[in-house]
Amino acid sequence: MQVGREELLHIANLAQLELKEEEIEKYLLHLQDILNFANVVNNAPVEDLDITIGSNKTKNVFRKDEVEEFKDIESLLQNAPTKERNMFKLPKVIN
């Protein structure tokens, strides 16, 4: 599939891009390269390949949530710019 100048300008307009005159030829070449690669992918021979969805056969691996008390709060808070009642104090972000 060949992309013409008018098609490129139409696509640029849809994407709200303002292309300079000297950029149009460069973008035409890039877009044509992308379309050529998509054509190669679409025409790749896949008839005799097995269906593969993922390489990892493990499904729905969950772990039980367990609450654990953090014991070294002082080390955790040593780099906090401000702290209050053993918690990080953050500036108010919502009025």
Side-chain angles (χ1 to χ4, degrees):
M1 174 181 177
Q2 291 288 354
V3 179
R5 177 185 171 87
E6 294 304 317
E7 288 174 308
L8 176 71
L9 293 174
H10 178 67
I11 293 168
N13 184 40
L14 291 174
Q16 297 179 351
L17 298 174
E18 294 180 18
L19 296 181
K20 298 175 185 167
E21 196 62 38
E22 59 271 9
E23 294 175 318
I24 293 174
E25 192 63 36
K26 179 175 78 169
Y27 280 94
L28 274 172
L29 292 173
H30 290 305
L31 185 56
Q32 193 61 55
D33 286 343
I34 292 168
L35 292 174
N36 289 341
F37 181 73
N39 192 34
V40 168
V41 171
N42 282 336
N43 294 324
V46 294
E47 293 82 28
D48 297 327
L49 296 178
D50 291 334
I51 296 174
T52 302
I53 294 174
S55 61
N56 189 353
K57 296 191 186 289
T58 309
K59 297 179 185 175
N60 297 332
V61 178
F62 297 107
R63 65 170 172 77
K64 185 177 177 184
D65 286 335
E66 297 177 6
V67 177
E68 294 181 18
E69 185 177 339
F70 191 80
K71 303 216 185 312
D72 194 8
I73 293 176
E74 284 304 315
S75 293
L76 180 68
L77 294 174
Q78 73 183 0
N79 293 322
T82 55
K83 51 189 167 188
E84 184 176 298
R85 295 184 310 183
N86 284 337
M87 295 182 279
F88 288 93
K89 184 174 181 182
L90 302 173
K92 188 175 181 180
V93 293
I94 300 175
N95 291 330

